[in-house]
């Protein structure tokens, strides 16, 4: 069974790369691709209301099944009319399978790694996250052939999640796109373990296909296999051969951007070109170009909002840290030609003041800017692909962005699940 | 000197009470009175952006001189074009003198009292405030004839504020209305001390008049004298005889609502009817009717936003605490016929979820509702005074509101200065 209310139409495919533009059709509206999905972990984008999301150009929101399963519970969301009504967002929604959070809250916290080796060095984390990570029990998950036992990060209660459970919960939540249940692996897993996990993932995604009962939701398969070429190729062949409405690429993407690009090169061609492809958890500005060129249509990345709450702002000239003393009396906006609400109304000096004074409004205004930039960078890439001037646009954008050097702020927390914000403790 | 760019026109004065409607004219627009001023302590209303303030009907915002003097500094605000441009609010603004915060952070925290005895019982405070109050040094202020030495609550640095300093700082900030420098007293001060403080206040407000140099700001005098009839009458006569553009009534208002009403009855008639009257720091729904009837035109009260952040919501049927388990699956809005953004888009169950999940959006949405209710209650009172059906409106409103009994939540923190919100620690 594939969804009867979901469609994907490719509008433009570039002659010199695998980049393409297209249009997803869902029961809650269309999504122009490539698209950046905004992350609303607990059925809310942190500090940003739905009207502001519309205003800044967001097309689709990703919510986390793991979090909503634990709190407030998928049955409650269903009882209240489903996730769209619950969170006041009537546009397209996607939920993940819960697998990433279940496993990353176990293994990831234990070993301090995320999707790329080194993205979770404990010393580099903002202090709040460090304390939290260290305070976690050593082992929160236990996997077997049928599913995974895990411990709630909220209250320590124990739970079990199987492929069938994940699909049932996602059907209760009622997003337009749902994901098959998988076991993501980290860059610290060796090839042998990654192969075992991949075997489970393949059996679980097939069970996910069989478990689905709603025809108004698209179901995406997930390619795993870590940074191991043979496993990634095997997984893409297997998943690509199943009747999913689209495909996600998840799990460890290696030790570098080059590894990530290689993973895409090994997998993309096995995933039918006429179905959409989603790269899970990636979306830094510099990644978007390279991944779109390799055939990715959909991105989700939590980074813009935790970055914002720590004062790290994206600009076309690289990142800036608004808490820096150099901005104390700076009467210019974060970015001169940015049309977002924050940049058209407030100065760097004011935003710095708000953040240093722990004003809630800081988190909202800074998050609006970061989300606006990333969402509209992907839109600009889309437009340049349609207009035929992608290569020039990319060259200009990346030369401006890279010229600024590395970010002056703390690194982006890789997953919101693992990065409590300063105001939610 | 009185302001040349400030006007107050009384439109309607009721035949059966001292209630009246009017119109303040300021360089940044008009304010219809009676009006509820929204408090933006640190040049921001906590969690609510200027566009949302406009949307919910706010006419005028009050910012705190004490806080802005300490951070980011009035010179910086002036350098950046003044408070309106700094905070992105182009409507009318008022700043207080700084006196209330200077003294309340000393004496108030030391003795656990605010404007009314019993409003600050330590046991009744939310835990965050309790810890903070207890952690304060025993004595933060030292007053003499010329001014007051105080210690910053931010970094422990020492400062001195005089009448001339307060006016200079407020002129740098550049609000439309500024307040004369005073020494407020608490309900725990005896008559002898209150009389001494009143003497200083009278000398300080006269010095404030002499110190002012801008003709585009209105300067309001402040009546003090605690809950002592002779002192309040003396103060109203004295302040009422000086060429202020308007009058504020500050300091301790006694031990009960009846005491507060008595203070108004002792003072209002000595304050020229043709100038606006501002009751400082009061604005609970049930207080608005009684104080407007006694001739008050302007209110400011911080309570709606800290109440909101603790989950306590105003409704026409009394307060409700959204964290209560009874709202777990409640699919209705906070208030059925409320036209605010929060009530037209979100359910009680969702708002409860956001608050329990420590989602930043909770603070914004709940604050919008509380501010909307109070601002628009005062608007409805204004309309009923104009329309001649005030008595009926009041009877109906208060019978609905009182029937619900006391609030189920924690008491309202009396001053934002003394009530760090859970998300700003």
């Amino acid at each position: 069974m594939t969804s009867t209310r979901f469609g994907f139409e490719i509008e433009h495919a570039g002659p010199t790369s695998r980049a393409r533009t297209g249009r997803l059709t869902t029961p809650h509206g269309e999504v122009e691709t490539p698209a950046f999905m905004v992350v609303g972990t607990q059925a809310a984008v942190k500090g940003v209301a739905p009207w502001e999301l519309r205003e800044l150009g967001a097309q689709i929101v990703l919510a986390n099944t793991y979090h909503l399963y634990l709190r407030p519970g998928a049955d409650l969301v269903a009882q209240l009319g489903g996730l769209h009504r619950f969170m006041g967002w009537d546009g397209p929604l996607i939920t993940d399978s819960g697998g990433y959070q279940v496993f990353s809250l176990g293994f990831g916290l234990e070993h301090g790694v995320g999707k790329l080796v080194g993205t979770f060095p404990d010393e580099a984390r903002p202090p709040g996250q460090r304390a939290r990570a260290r305070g976690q029990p050593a082992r929160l998950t236990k996997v077997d052939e049928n599913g995974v036992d895990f411990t709630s990060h909220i209250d320590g209660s124990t739970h079990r999640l199987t492929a069938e459970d994940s699909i049932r919960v996602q059907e209760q939540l009622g997003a337009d796109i749902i994901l098959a249940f998988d076991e993501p692996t980290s860059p610290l897993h060796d090839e042998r373990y990654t192969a075992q996990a991949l075997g489970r993932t393949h059996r679980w995604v097939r069970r996910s296909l069989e478990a689905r009962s709603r025809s108004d939701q698209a179901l995406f398969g997930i390619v795993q296999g870590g940074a191991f070429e043979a496993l990634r190729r095997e997984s893409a062949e297997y998943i690509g051969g199943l009747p999913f409405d689209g495909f996600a690429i998840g799990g460890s993407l290696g030790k570098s951007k080059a590894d990530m690009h290689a993973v895409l090169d090994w997998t993309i061609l096995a995933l039918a070109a006429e179905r959409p492809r989603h790269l899970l958890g990636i979306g830094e500005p510099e990644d978007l170009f390279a991944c779109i060129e390799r055939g990715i249509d959909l991105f989700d990345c939590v980074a813009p909002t935790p970055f914002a709450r720590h004062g790290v702002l994206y600009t076309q000239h690289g990142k800036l840290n608004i808490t820096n003393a150099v901005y104390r009396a700076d009467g210019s906006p974060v970015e001169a030609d940015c049309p977002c609400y924050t940049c058209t109304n407030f100065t760097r000096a004011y935003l710095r003041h708000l953040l240093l004074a722990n004003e809630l409004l800081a988190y909202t205004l800074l998050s609006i800017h970061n989300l606006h930039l990333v969402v509209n960078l992907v839109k600009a890439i889309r437009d340049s692909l349609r207009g035929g001037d992608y290569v020039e646009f990319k060259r200009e954008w990346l030369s401006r962005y890279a010229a600024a050097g590395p970010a002056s702020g703390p690194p982006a927390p890789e997953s919101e699940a693992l990065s409590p914000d300063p105001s939610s403790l």
Side-chain angles (χ1 to χ4, degrees), chain A residues 65 69 74 96-99 144-148 160-173 178-182 200-214 217 219:
Chain A
T65 292
Y69 161 79
D96 60 7
S97 71
D144 58 42
E145 174 57 27
N146 194 42
V148 55
R160 182 169 177 78
L161 202 59
T162 65
E164 291 75 17
D165 294 330
S166 172
I167 297 301
R168 179 179 47 78
V169 167
Q170 292 186 80
E171 292 194 340
Q172 285 182 300
L173 294 174
I178 65 176
L179 293 189
F181 191 61
D182 61 333
R200 279 190 290 272
T201 289
H202 288 175
R203 293 185 288 277
W204 291 356
V205 299
R206 185 179 274 280
R207 280 167 48 191
S208 298
L209 266 176
E210 286 159 10
R212 77 187 299 196
S213 67
R214 285 179 64 162
Q217 295 180 300
L219 174 61

Side-chain angles (χ1 to χ4, degrees), chain A residues 250-270:
Chain A
S252 162
L253 298 170
K255 300 178 178 177
S256 66
K257 306 266 187 197
D259 285 357
M260 175 170 76
H261 301 164
V263 167
L264 296 183
D265 292 334
W266 299 331
T267 52
I268 287 286
L269 291 183

Side-chain angles (χ1 to χ4, degrees), chain A residues 308-309 351 354-356 358-367:
Chain A
R309 295 194 302 275
L351 297 168
L354 291 186
L355 199 63
L356 294 182
N358 297 317
E359 278 288 335
L360 290 172
L361 190 55
Y363 309 126
T364 296
L365 295 180
L366 300 177
S367 295

